[in-house]
Amino acid sequence: MSNKGFHIAVVGATGAVGQQMLETLEKRDFPIGKLTLLSSARSAGKVIAYKGEDVTVQEAKPESFEGVDIALFSAGGSISKALAPEAAKRGAIVIDNTSAYRMDPEVPLVVPEVNKEDLRLHKGIIANPNCSTIQMVAALEPLRAAYGLKKVLVSTYQAVSGAGAKAIEELNEQTKALVNGEDYEPQILPVSSDKKHYQIAFNAIPQIDKFEENGFTFEEMKMINETKKIMHMPELHVAATCVRLPVATGHSESVYFEVEESNVTVADVHEKLSSAPGVVLEDNPAEQIYPMPANCVGKNDVFVGRVRKDLDEDKGFHMWVVSDNLLKGAAWNSVQIAETLIEMGLVQEK
Ligand code: NAP
Ligand code: 3JN
């Protein structure tokens, strides 16, 4: 850390996303003058090294945000509801990783490759979308811009790290136990269920977050509503099925989409994807080249492959979209928003 630079606060610094936030800030050499690390009282006093310097974690309180320029929140929706307005009131720009403010019309919901201009409308709080939404809209945006977009049907294959540090531990411990023929009582996944928990090792759980009255889960509704908001397309037809897999990190998605224009080819889609910011095309069936979560861990990009034209619908295409859910899905998108605020002159050091 240097004397010059922004005062950054990380709320939820000890969590799965918070840890990636710190690694990302360090890797990007983000201009930090002061770093405040916040958590619950449980982790207060813990020491975390940042660029070789020890920083002591403090319990997050309204006063923690005095003098803070940018506050990166990933401690859950209730903490954001309670503390993000306190941070904003004290002059910090909040970049919130929870669903607390995503659908608030006063709060921009931003994926920089798609809608960075929305940052100009912020009133102190900016929302970071859900991880599954982010990687999908990053891949769809260059296609929407070129050919228009009518419909999106997505099925996700989501990694356990999206459900937090305890879910990663559960996958690891449960896998070891089952391989050794021992019992393991599921306790964490699906996370938002207070009724039942299911085995995740060697399994697939078609529930992420709680069920809504319409039969979709909240994770599926996040993807549907957030996609329309980010792309400024309330009329877009979107449906999602979200599934948890025994993968540690890296969300995968099978995306069917229909464009507005006729006679678009796979070569056209390839061309747009290969020149899109933040997107890497990995698509060569002859050489068995396609994205997989194990190859995406630790990378900021969104990887796309398996592009096919639908056999019955001229305007319909299928693609496979993979990204590190903790990076582009959370930490990197948040830090990228902070970097974009600086580039656009929308944040000043106090
Ligand atoms: P996690 O590994 O369970 O970490 C939770 C973090 O929140 C810990 O640092 C914890 O601190 C802190 N915390 C808990 N209660 C707190 C309190 N009362 N006051 C202050 N800090 C508190 O969870 P995670 O995977 O990092 O996810 C955290 C949140 O990020 C999620 O709830 C979600 O809202 C958001 N998230 C967003 C995405 C996305 O799609 N963009 C993806 C994953 C997560 P202690 O160490 O003290 O417990
Ligand atoms: O399960 C995943 O893969 C992503 C989870 C994200 C998440 C987990 C707990 C609470 C969220 C989110 O960001 O949508 C939230 C939430 O804030 O609603």
Side-chain angles (χ1 to χ4, degrees):
M1 276 169 278
S2 64
N3 291 333
K4 284 186 73 183
F6 295 90
H7 181 176
I8 303 293
V10 178
V11 188
T14 52
V17 175
Q19 287 294 301
Q20 293 293 324
M21 293 271 191
L22 294 172
E23 276 187 32
T24 303
L25 289 166
E26 194 162 336
K27 265 195 204 149
R28 300 290 301 177
D29 200 16
F30 196 91
I32 298 184
K34 184 174 177 191
L35 182 61
T36 297
L37 301 185
L38 303 168
S39 71
S40 78
R42 287 182 296 276
S43 294
K46 193 175 166 183
V47 173
I48 295 181
Y50 182 84
K51 285 195 171 177
E53 278 182 45
D54 284 347
V55 184
T56 303
V57 177
Q58 302 164 47
E59 182 182 355
K61 295 183 179 157
E63 317 79 81
S64 313
F65 300 97
E66 295 293 348
V68 168
D69 298 307
I70 300 175
L72 302 167
F73 272 70
S74 64
S78 58
I79 314 304
S80 293
K81 283 264 186 224
L83 291 179
E86 297 291 342
K89 203 162 80 185
R90 288 167 172 80
I93 299 182
V94 170
I95 301 173
D96 181 34
N97 237 297
T98 78
S99 59
Y101 297 97
R102 288 184 192 145
M103 296 314 298
D104 183 331
E106 301 278 292
V107 174
L109 179 65
V110 176
V111 176
E113 291 85 348
V114 181
N115 64 334
K116 69 176 182 183
E117 286 304 314
D118 289 352
L119 290 172
R120 296 190 193 281
L121 306 173
H122 88 80
K123 295 178 176 160
I125 302 178
I126 294 158
N128 187 87
N130 175 268
C131 41
S132 302
T133 311
I134 294 176
Q135 64 183 69
M136 184 174 79
V137 298
L140 285 173
E141 172 59 17
L143 306 172
R144 182 212 60 78
Y147 309 118
L149 191 61
K150 279 201 305 199
K151 185 192 269 188
V152 181
L153 304 177
V154 56
S155 295
T156 70
Y157 305 69
Q158 295 184 218
V160 294
S161 56
K166 286 190 185 139
I168 306 174
E169 199 184 315
E170 177 164 82
L171 172 65
N172 292 338
E173 295 308 312
Q174 200 178 84
T175 306
K176 274 189 238 161
L178 296 186
V179 165
N180 291 322
E182 294 159 10
D183 288 339
Y184 189 103
E185 186 64 35
Q187 285 159 17
I188 306 292
L189 291 165
V191 172
S192 55
S193 170
D194 45 11
K195 291 191 199 129
K196 285 182 180 167
H197 297 292
Y198 292 120
Q199 177 183 322
I200 182 62
F202 312 106
N203 203 7
I205 303 177
Q207 181 193 349
I208 301 185
D209 220 316
K210 60 185 187 298
F211 279 97
E212 303 280 292
E213 280 191 357
N214 62 10
F216 285 81
T217 63
F218 189 35
E219 182 83 352
E220 290 160 354
M221 291 311 300
K222 287 174 196 171
M223 287 195 80
I224 293 165
N225 294 327
E226 293 176 17
T227 298
K228 294 178 190 208
K229 177 168 174 176
I230 297 162
M231 299 187 98
H232 296 196
M233 297 183 80
E235 74 290 358
L236 184 65
H237 288 204
V238 191
T241 302
C242 293
V243 181
R244 185 78 67 196
L245 285 199
V247 167
T249 300
H251 285 0
S252 305
E253 300 177 343
S254 170
V255 184
Y256 170 80
F257 61 96
E258 288 176 13
V259 294
E260 293 281 0
E261 266 188 42
S262 303
N263 303 321
V264 177
T265 65
V266 168
D268 293 331
V269 171
H270 274 177
E271 189 205 317
K272 295 300 169 200
L273 289 171
S274 56
S275 57
V279 175
V280 175
L281 182 68
E282 286 186 347
D283 196 4
N284 184 354
E287 299 297 329
Q288 285 177 264
I289 302 292
Y290 36 73
M292 290 181 281
N295 297 340
C296 299
V297 177
K299 297 177 184 164
N300 285 344
D301 294 308
V302 172
F303 297 83
V304 185
R306 301 290 325 274
V307 178
R308 286 149 287 154
K309 188 150 177 153
D310 190 72
L311 298 178
D312 299 306
E313 170 56 60
D314 171 62
K315 297 176 178 178
F317 291 85
H318 302 262
M319 65 181 173
W320 177 247
V321 180
V322 184
S323 195
D324 184 324
N325 53 298
L326 297 177
L327 291 179
K328 185 56 183 166
W332 164 234
N333 198 67
S334 292
V335 172
Q336 192 185 14
I337 288 173
E339 288 185 0
T340 310
L341 286 171
I342 299 173
E343 273 162 33
M344 292 170 75
L346 296 173
V347 59
Q348 281 80 38
E349 291 168 34
K350 287 201 191 70

